[in-house]
């Protein structure tokens, strides 16, 4: 016996373990399917919600039907009990006493019970059964339930429901006092108990459940079809957007302008289009910057190659003892020094331009008197001009001209332009003037030098560009090709404008315009 119990427990444990494992795997599979895509999410969600709603509806409908049936049965019992009471009280030939069970009583109760399809029992004030419509004889001393006795004193009708222990069938009971309860002078001595067992109650409930089940399955199928359609309707534009994003990630910038019916999808598509356009601009800008960087490296390499080659050649000649003449050796050393200075200027200009283009250079915003500043710069560069037999003339067209800017950057602008004018002029005159035009302060630098050819004029703002008539100048006079680029960047940083006019063989004129300081008075 013990061995049998142990074996049964082991089998039960294995079955329980297998069942738990099965439920765990089922839950995992359902959860995986639920998170798989929008189809399964909508379908499973709608199915679960519908099943829960169907169960709740079934419970509610079952409760409501039961209550409706119970109320109907009780109303029917009330009508039948009224008729039985009337029939029993109208028959004066029938008396109701203990031990007085006549055939007339039995016939009357049986007739009424058959007519009304119910069981009738008459009892007295102590609850003792006086007679019943049932065919079996009443056992002496048999009594009804005590709760039915109270109606004799209260004069009210009592309804009760009981369940047969043997058949499990529901029985409805109605107990009423026998006689006229409205007549207060009469004493109620007897009560009537009616019992009925509705056979169609369970049948009606079963039919209701069947109808709910069939209807629920039909509705579930309809909901599934609608869910699949809705999922496809929602996911189709999302799939198209996913394809567009994949094309963008692969380097294609083809934007689709299809308008979807869903506002949310349209908003998402619009945002993706904006992101794609922005990404395309960033990519184009990145390619442009990369191209500029490559071109800059090539230009720097080209500009540095010539002086470095010269330095290397002169150095190798001196090192190998090929130059024994001291005069020639000194000349070679001067050439090496000059080339080194040119390389230094070139590197300095490259670093300055790099800082300007990267945005690392900041300018102060302070009031500056350009008249005083320009006059000081002119005086400091008179020695450089005399080296080429040039003269610098400062034309003060106004006593003061105040603008907002950075004094160091303004001085750098003026020095670069005056240096270029000196480099392009020999035995000439360079004029630097400061004046006003409406609300602007105008600074001009004019020379009567060699000028710039018309074909070269649009390119003077390009990096490392030098005019054709200046490319064969000596190294001492040759610029780096970055001065004007730096000048333009510095002017733009201070919200100014720069223009140039030139005639070949007659000279060049640069004009810089800055907004006058608000509140400044021109004198």
């Amino acid at each position: 016996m013990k061995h049998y119990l142990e074996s049964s427990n082991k089998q039960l444990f294995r079955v329980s373990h297998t069942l738990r494992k099965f439920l765990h795997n089922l839950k995992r599979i359902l959860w995986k399917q639920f998170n798989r895509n929008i189809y399964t999410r909508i379908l499973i969600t709608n199915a679960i919600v519908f099943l829960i709603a169907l169960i709740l509806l079934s419970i509610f409908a079952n409760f409501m039907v039961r209550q409706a049936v119970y109320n109907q049965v009780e109303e029917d019992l009330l009508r039948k009990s009224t008729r039985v009471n009337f029939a029993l009280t109208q028959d004066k030939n029938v008396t109701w006493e203990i031990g007085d069970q006549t055939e007339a009583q039995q016939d009357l109760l049986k007739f009424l019970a058959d007519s009304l399809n119910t069981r009738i029992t008459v009892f007295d004030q102590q609850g003792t059964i006086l007679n019943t419509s049932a065919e079996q004889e009443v056992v002496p001393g048999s009594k009804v339930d005590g709760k039915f006795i109270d109606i004799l004193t209260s004069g009210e009708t009592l309804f009760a429901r009981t369940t047969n222990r043997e058949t499990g069938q529901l029985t409805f009971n109605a107990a009423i006092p026998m006689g006229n309860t409205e007549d207060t002078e009469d004493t109620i001595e007897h009560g009537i108990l009616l019992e009925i067992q509705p056979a169609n109650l369970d049948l009606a409930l079963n039919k209701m459940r069947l109808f709910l089940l069939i209807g629920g399955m039909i509705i579930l199928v309809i909901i599934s079809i609608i869910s699949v359609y809705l999922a496809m309707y929602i996911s189709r534009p999302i799939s198209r957007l996913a394809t567009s994003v994949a094309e963008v990630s692969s380097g294609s910038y083809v934007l689709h302008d299809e308008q979807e019916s869903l506002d949310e999808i349209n908003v998402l598509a619009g945002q993706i289009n904006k992101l794609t356009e922005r990404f395309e601009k960033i990519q184009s800008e990145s390619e442009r910057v990369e191209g500029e960087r490559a071109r800059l490296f090539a230009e720097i390499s080209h500009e540095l190659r010539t002086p470095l080659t010269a330095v290397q050649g002169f150095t190798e000649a001196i090192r190998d003892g090929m130059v024994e003449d001291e005069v020639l050796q000194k000349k070679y050393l001067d050439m090496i020094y000059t080339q080194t200075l040119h390389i230094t200027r070139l590197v300095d200009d490259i670093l300055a331009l790099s800082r300007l283009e990267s945005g690392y250079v900041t300018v102060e915003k302070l009031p500056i008197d350009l008249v005083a500043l320009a006059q000081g710069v002119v005086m400091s560069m008179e020695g450089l001009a005399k080296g080429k037999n040039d003269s610098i003339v400062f034309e003060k067209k106004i006593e003061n001209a105040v603008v907002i800017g950075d004094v160091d950057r303004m001085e750098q602008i003026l020095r670069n332009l005056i240096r270029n004018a000196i480099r392009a002029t020999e035995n000439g005159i360079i004029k630097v003037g400061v004046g006003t035009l409406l609300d602007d302060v105008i600074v001009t630098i004019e020379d009567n030098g060699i000028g710039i050819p018309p074909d070269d004029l649009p390119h003077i703002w390009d990096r490392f560009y030098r005019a054709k008539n200046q490319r064969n100048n000596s190294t001492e006079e040759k610029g780096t090709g970055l001065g004007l680029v730096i000048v333009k960047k510095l002017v733009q940083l201070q919200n100014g404008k720069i223009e140039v006019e030139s005639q070949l063989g007659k000279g060049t004129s640069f004009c810089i315009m800055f907004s006058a300081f608000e509140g400044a008075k021109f004198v």
Side-chain angles (χ1 to χ4, degrees):
M1 183 67 179
K2 182 178 180 181
H3 177 73
Y4 176 75
L5 292 176
E6 291 178 354
S7 177
S8 299
N9 290 333
K10 290 181 180 180
Q11 292 180 358
L12 183 61
F13 176 78
R14 284 196 294 267
V15 171
S16 176
H17 177 72
T18 304
L19 182 60
R20 287 198 300 269
K21 186 177 180 180
F22 171 75
L23 294 176
H24 176 73
N25 292 334
L26 180 62
K27 178 182 177 181
R28 182 174 56 83
I29 293 173
L30 290 177
W31 183 252
K32 182 179 180 180
Q33 291 296 323
F34 178 78
N35 292 321
R36 185 176 180 181
N37 51 45
I38 195 170
Y39 293 96
T40 55
R41 281 202 175 191
I42 294 179
L43 185 60
I44 294 177
T45 300
N46 288 346
I48 292 176
V49 171
F50 173 74
L51 290 176
I52 294 175
L54 181 61
I55 293 173
L56 295 177
L57 179 63
S58 299
I59 295 173
F60 179 74
N62 185 66
F63 173 77
M64 295 302 296
V65 169
R66 283 182 178 272
Q67 293 301 317
V69 173
Y70 291 168
N71 292 335
Q72 184 179 1
V73 172
E74 289 176 356
E75 291 178 0
D76 186 43
L77 272 176
L78 180 60
R79 291 192 298 269
K80 291 180 179 181
S81 60
T82 303
R83 295 172 61 183
V84 170
N85 185 26
F86 178 78
L88 295 181
T89 54
Q90 291 298 318
D91 193 348
K92 302 298 184 180
N93 297 324
V94 179
T95 58
W96 306 94
E97 300 293 341
I98 298 177
D100 188 16
Q101 297 181 2
T102 62
E103 185 177 351
Q105 294 177 350
Q106 187 70 25
D107 292 339
L108 180 58
L109 292 177
K110 187 175 182 181
F111 172 74
L112 293 174
D114 293 339
S115 302
L116 301 175
N117 193 22
T118 183
R119 178 179 176 180
I120 305 173
T121 302
V122 180
F123 59 93
D124 60 10
Q125 294 178 344
Q126 287 73 36
T128 303
I129 297 176
L130 302 180
N131 210 335
T132 179
S133 62
E135 295 182 356
Q136 69 270 21
E137 296 182 357
V138 178
V139 179
S142 299
K143 294 187 176 183
V144 297
D145 196 330
K147 60 185 176 182
F148 298 123
I149 303 175
D150 296 336
I151 64 168
L152 300 180
T153 56
S154 64
E156 297 178 354
T157 303
L158 175 65
F159 294 98
R161 295 190 294 268
T162 59
T163 303
N164 193 314
R165 295 180 180 179
E166 297 179 357
T167 62
Q169 191 173 4
L170 187 63
T171 301
F172 292 83
N173 303 307
I176 61 172
M178 182 186 294
N180 188 4
T181 57
E182 297 180 357
D183 191 355
T184 56
E185 296 181 358
D186 293 343
T187 301
I188 304 299
E189 297 180 351
H190 303 94
I192 304 172
L193 177 63
L194 277 72
E195 300 178 12
I196 187 173
Q197 294 180 345
N200 58 346
L201 178 59
D202 292 336
L203 180 60
L205 293 176
N206 291 333
K207 287 184 178 180
M208 180 203 69
R209 296 190 188 100
L210 180 61
F211 292 153
L212 282 176
L213 180 61
I214 296 174
M217 295 301 295
I218 296 174
I219 296 175
L220 181 60
V221 172
I222 296 174
I223 289 178
S224 300
I225 296 174
I226 295 175
S227 300
V228 171
Y229 172 77
L230 183 62
M232 293 178 61
Y233 184 74
I234 295 175
S235 63
R236 188 181 298 112
I238 296 177
S239 300
R240 284 198 292 267
L241 289 178
T243 304
S244 300
V245 173
E247 293 177 356
V248 171
S249 63
S250 63
S252 174
Y253 300 109
V254 179
L255 303 180
H256 302 285
D257 296 330
E258 298 179 2
Q259 290 292 323
E260 304 294 343
S261 58
L262 298 177
D263 292 340
E264 295 83 356
I265 301 298
N266 290 332
V267 172
L268 179 59
Q271 295 299 324
I272 291 178
N273 287 339
K274 291 180 180 178
L275 183 62
T276 303
E277 293 175 357
R278 184 177 180 183
F279 184 74
E280 184 178 6
K281 291 179 181 178
I282 293 174
Q283 186 72 13
S284 300
E285 182 66 18
S286 176
E287 292 176 356
R288 186 191 66 81
V289 171
E290 188 64 27
E292 287 289 325
R293 183 182 294 109
R295 189 167 67 88
L296 176 61
F297 287 157
E299 292 171 348
I300 292 174
S301 300
H302 176 73
E303 292 295 324
L304 290 175
R305 183 182 293 111
T306 301
L308 286 176
T309 302
V311 170
Q312 181 181 0
F314 293 142
T315 304
E316 289 178 352
I318 296 174
R319 186 193 64 179
D320 296 340
M322 297 175 61
V323 182
E324 297 179 355
D325 186 7
E326 292 184 1
V327 177
L328 184 59
Q329 187 177 16
K330 184 177 181 300
K331 182 179 179 181
Y332 278 14
L333 290 176
D334 289 341
M335 292 295 294
I336 292 173
Y337 178 72
T338 303
Q339 295 290 354
T340 305
L341 289 179
H342 178 69
I343 294 173
T344 302
R345 290 197 303 269
L346 180 61
V347 172
D348 290 341
D349 287 346
I350 290 173
L351 291 176
L353 181 61
S354 176
R355 286 193 293 268
L356 286 170
E357 290 182 342
S358 61
Y360 291 152
V361 175
T362 58
V363 294
E364 296 181 352
K365 302 293 184 179
L366 297 174
I368 304 171
D369 185 1
L370 287 183
V371 173
L373 180 63
Q375 190 172 10
V377 172
V378 168
M379 293 177 61
S380 66
M381 300 192 72
E382 287 179 349
L384 181 63
K386 288 181 180 180
K388 296 193 66 175
N389 296 324
D390 294 331
S391 60
I392 301 181
V393 178
F394 179 69
E395 297 179 347
K396 185 169 62 173
K397 303 175 184 178
I398 193 171
E399 288 297 326
N400 56 69
V402 181
V403 298
I404 296 297
D406 189 313
V407 63
D408 294 332
R409 305 303 177 188
M410 288 290 189
E411 183 176 349
Q412 185 178 357
I413 292 170
L414 294 175
R415 286 186 178 277
N416 281 357
L417 292 176
I418 294 174
R419 186 180 295 111
N420 284 347
I422 293 174
R423 186 180 295 118
T425 307
E426 189 171 358
N427 300 320
I429 299 176
I430 299 169
K431 298 179 181 180
V432 179
V434 179
T436 59
L437 178 64
L438 299 177
D439 294 331
D440 293 333
V441 176
I442 309 298
V443 180
T444 57
I445 296 93
E446 301 179 14
D447 65 69
N448 57 356
I450 60 176
I452 302 174
D455 294 340
D456 292 336
L457 196 61
H459 303 288
I460 63 174
W461 309 112
D462 297 339
R463 290 181 305 211
F464 301 108
Y465 189 84
R466 286 184 291 270
K468 297 176 182 177
N469 58 347
Q470 298 181 9
R471 294 175 185 174
N472 296 323
N473 289 350
S474 64
T475 306
E476 292 86 358
E477 298 176 351
K478 184 170 63 176
T480 62
L482 296 175
L484 291 179
V485 182
I486 294 174
V487 166
K488 187 174 183 180
K489 294 286 185 182
L490 291 175
V491 171
Q492 291 174 345
L493 279 176
Q494 299 177 92
N495 301 321
K497 298 179 181 178
I498 184 169
E499 297 176 353
V500 60
E501 294 181 359
S502 183
Q503 291 184 5
L504 190 62
K506 294 184 178 182
T508 304
S509 173
F510 284 90
C511 179
I512 310 172
M513 293 167 284
F514 295 100
S515 298
F517 177 55
E518 185 177 355
K521 296 181 179 179
F522 300 134
V523 179

